[in-house]
Amino acid sequence: MKTLFLAGTALCLSLGALSLSATPAAAQQAACAFRGALDEAYCDANRDMVADAPTDPSKLRDPSTIVFTYTPVEDPALYASQFKPFLDYLTQCTGKRAVYFQVTSNAAQVEAMRSGRLHVAGFSTGPTAFAVNLAGAVPFAVKGDAQGYESYKVVMIVRADSPYQSLADLRGKRVAHTSATSNSGNLAPRAFFPALGLTPDTDYNVVYSGGHDRSVMGVNAGDYDAAPVASDVWTRMIARGQVKRENFRVLWESDPFPTSGFAVASDLKPELSAKIRQCFLDYRFPEQMARDLGGNDRFWPATYAEQWAPVRAVADAVGAPYNRAAFDAESRRELEAEARKRAQAQQPAAPTHVAPTGATPAPAR
């Protein structure tokens, strides 16, 4: 059976519909012994930090079609093509048609799982926590190779021909962060840089670019003086020939963080959930897919409690909890940015590396 790719405006999520309202999972039992950081729609009786499956068998779902999507950390259309071999395999492995559902924002991706329209997804590092707490996502895997699972670092990049040699040189400069909810593009820099003598918004001007690729291209073009970005996105752009490594200098890099996490919806039937997980772990990427995904060739098992501990620590350090209020604030920023983009579309086209001044829809890491 051929994999069906769902794309286009009729099949993409509308940002105007971003509201965390009642969902299939919301019908769980009223009494809940423990929730932890989870939204009230979910319970965590076993205290593993992710939502339990509904105890009422009638609330468990067994869809005839498995809907999958991957984080829009770069151009979403890229991933629709890159994941096609895997979705063809998932169709054969589960006996259910697997389709790709293209999304253009992290908030839309979270809402899709929350509302029951999305069954399996690869969420970016930071938004994984929103998906866990607000959408009942249960992370179970990350990409990797034969040696282990993939990680990335936050790297502060500048142009190689710039005068900047240290973080201190960026005082008073224009530095591109990606989005408010991004781990590597915003939260980690805000957690780490003050101890290094450089406080965002105080010592330098933060401009939200809208994505890691936009930050990289903006630094390359001279629109920004510097940018903290996810190292894996940057190196993929170099490998694809979008930018040249010799055009950049790295002023600082962090310890490793996990990359995007693959998660299933907590209200799938346990048998289907287990089958999907096993299909992921048994799969080996074909050669082209491995090249497209940074040399990774398999999925490694992972848990939210363990692999995302450093991500939660960063959020705690900057007082940015992964809760509904923070999610709603980011959704509003995305809606405002969409309105700006529509207005700009009526004006002469600007270079693709130029980002609006305010926050934009932000693939986050």
Side-chain angles (χ1 to χ4, degrees), residues 142-150 259 285 295-300:
V142 293
K143 299 190 304 293
D145 57 23
Q147 282 67 52
Y149 69 83
E150 180 187 33
T259 59
F285 302 179
N296 295 300
D297 65 357
R298 68 195 67 195
F299 297 103
W300 279 82

Side-chain angles (χ1 to χ4, degrees), residues 229-249:
V229 297
S231 61
D232 59 334
V233 177
W234 181 48
T235 54
R236 282 199 300 270
M237 293 177 70
I238 293 170
R240 288 197 295 260
Q242 292 175 276
V243 293
K244 295 181 179 180
R245 174 64 179 84
E246 58 266 28
N247 290 350
F248 297 89
R249 178 186 305 122

